[in-house]
Amino acid sequence: MPLPPELAALLAPTAPAQLPLPPAAHPAPATRLLRGAVYAAPDGIRPLELDLWLPEYPHDPLPVIVYLHGGGWRTGTRTDMGPRFRSWHVSPFARLAQAGFAVASLDYRLTGEATYPAQLEDVTAALAWLDARAGELGLDTGRTVTWGESAGAHLAALLALTTPVLGCVAWYGPTDLTTLPSQSRPGAYDANSPTTREALLIGAPVATAPDLARAASPVTHVTADAPPFLILHGTDDSLIPSAQGEQLAAALRAAGAQVDFRPVPGADHAWAGLPDEDVERCFIASLDFARALTAPGPPSAR
C-alpha cells in the first residue's frame, strides 16, 4: 500500500551530499581523517561509506586521490592498501595526505551484494559526492587521480576510462576478463566455473557470458581520450598474470594514450616476495606519478 505523501516525505532518506560530515580524527601527524562519510545509499543494502584523509592545514584546494581496495570484488576493506602496508607505522593514506592530497578511500558493493556494473556505479557516485562537497571540504576535484590494487585496480581503471579524471594508478589488476583464463597458468583457471571471482562479478561464468565479460573489462573502454596511466604489475604474479597489465598498456598505446607500464621483477600478487624497500619504491613511484599529474597548471577539462 503506498504511503501518504506526508509520511513518505518524512521517511525519505536524506541525500548523502546533505548528511553531516563525520567528526575529524587525527591518526597521524599533520593529518585529519573523516572516517565513514556516507556517499551513497543504494536501495536494499548498507549505506556506502568513504574515509577522507586530509592534510591538517591546507592552503589551497586539494588534489584528490580516489583509492579502491582489492579483495577479488568479494572481500576487502577501504582501510587497507594491501597486506604489505599493514605494518607501516604511518599508514600509506596518511602519507598521501601529508604529501598534500585529499585521499578518498571507498567502500563499494561486493559480489555478495550485487553484480557488475553496480561496483562501477558506486565508485562513480563517489566522484559525484566529492564534487558536491568540494567547496566545504576544500577539494579541487578537477585534479583527481584514481588508484587501486587488484580488483580495486580494475575498478580504478574503469572509472578513469569512463569518467573525466587526470590519471590512474593500477597495481596488478585484471584488465580483460576474456583473456584472463588463457593467460593463467595451465589448469589454474576454469572459465566455465560459476565460482571464480570474475564469474561472481558478472553473474555468470566467463566462458558462457563473453559479452558481459567484455563489458566489465577495462580494455574494452579504452579510447583516445583515456587519461595517463601508471601500471605496475609483478612479473611473478600467480593470481593475475602480468600479461593483463601488458594488455591494457598495449591498448592504451594503440589508442594514442599516455601509459607507463612497469613490470616489477620477482613480485607476486599484492607485492608478495618483494623486499620492503621495493614495496616502498612502488608506493613512491605511484605518489610521484599522481603528484606530477596534479601539479598546479591550466584548469583541467573536468
Side-chain angles (χ1 to χ4, degrees), residues 26-163:
H26 299 82
T31 64
R32 290 182 295 138
L33 170 60
L34 307 184
R35 191 189 304 275
V38 174
Y39 76 82
D43 287 342
I45 70 153
R46 63 194 168 100
L48 299 176
E49 298 179 343
L50 60 81
D51 293 342
L52 188 65
W53 296 77
L54 300 159
E56 182 70 86
Y57 301 111
H59 300 293
D60 299 299
L62 297 165
V64 180
I65 290 172
V66 172
Y67 185 81
L68 302 170
H69 68 79
W73 307 284
R74 59 182 176 179
T75 63
T77 169
R78 67 178 187 269
T79 64
D80 194 3
M81 192 174 271
R84 295 302 304 274
F85 299 91
R86 293 170 190 161
S87 62
W88 280 25
H89 176 66
V90 176
S91 83
F93 302 116
R95 286 184 56 172
L96 293 172
Q98 290 169 345
F101 286 92
V103 185
S105 184
L106 311 184
D107 284 339
Y108 51 85
R109 278 175 284 181
L110 303 175
T111 51
E113 300 168 308
T115 55
Y116 183 85
Q119 295 73 21
L120 179 57
E121 293 168 355
D122 294 342
V123 299
T124 303
L127 288 187
W129 185 91
L130 291 166
D131 279 337
R133 309 202 78 155
E136 65 185 304
L137 291 168
L139 310 180
D140 180 357
T141 55
R143 294 188 290 150
T144 295
V145 173
T146 66
W147 182 338
E149 61 107 14
S150 194
H154 163 268
L155 293 176
L158 280 170
L159 185 58
L161 292 167
T162 57
T163 306

